[in-house]
Amino acid sequence: YGAARRADDPAAALALFREASARDGAFAAAWLGVALTLTNHALDPVARDTALARAYRQRDRLTEPERVATTALYHALVARDRPRAIAVYAAHLARDPGDWRTRLNLGALLHE
């Protein structure tokens, strides 16, 4: 998982994440990795939404930061509920104001 996240090659990262999700369909972090790679490289929005939905259904298996990102991205991109995505990030920042990734993601969402 870590190697795929650090891969400079989105195709290689996708291959690793897809292999991991094929081995364990409940591997929420692998589904999130697929979704983030597709999002970050503006690739295949249908596959992105499918992967996000899979990660969202398994979000209880993620770390807190991954769960927040998955939930917010799901609401923003799949459910098309931007206010709810903003609320997810804001609620997390109320609990953890030093989370710079959440601040960055919220800022990006607010400036779309």
Side-chain angles (χ1 to χ4, degrees), residues 48-50 52-53 73-81:
R48 175 207 64 203
D49 290 355
T50 300
L52 263 176
L73 284 170
Y74 174 84
H75 289 299
L77 300 174
V78 178
R80 308 266 191 252
D81 187 347

Side-chain angles (χ1 to χ4, degrees), residues 50-105:
T50 300
L52 263 176
R54 294 286 302 261
Y56 181 75
R57 284 194 301 273
Q58 300 293 329
R59 66 191 178 278
D60 61 321
R61 305 181 93 190
L62 296 168
T63 65
E64 178 67 15
E66 291 169 331
R67 190 170 30 258
V68 169
T70 298
T71 302
L73 284 170
Y74 174 84
H75 289 299
L77 300 174
V78 178
R80 308 266 191 252
D81 187 347
R82 195 165 168 260
R84 190 158 180 197
I86 290 168
V88 169
Y89 284 137
H92 180 69
L93 284 175
R95 293 186 308 274
D96 184 3
D99 184 341
W100 64 269
R101 284 188 180 104
T102 297
R103 287 181 177 279
L104 182 68
N105 291 335

Side-chain angles (χ1 to χ4, degrees), residues 2-53:
R5 285 184 48 199
R6 291 185 297 275
D8 290 332
D9 179 359
L14 278 172
L16 290 170
F17 285 129
R18 286 182 169 147
E19 178 183 346
S21 62
R23 288 182 184 207
D24 179 357
F27 188 1
W31 288 111
L32 177 59
V34 169
L36 290 176
T37 302
L38 293 171
T39 299
N40 292 341
H41 297 281
L43 302 169
D44 198 346
V46 173
R48 175 207 64 203
D49 290 355
T50 300
L52 263 176

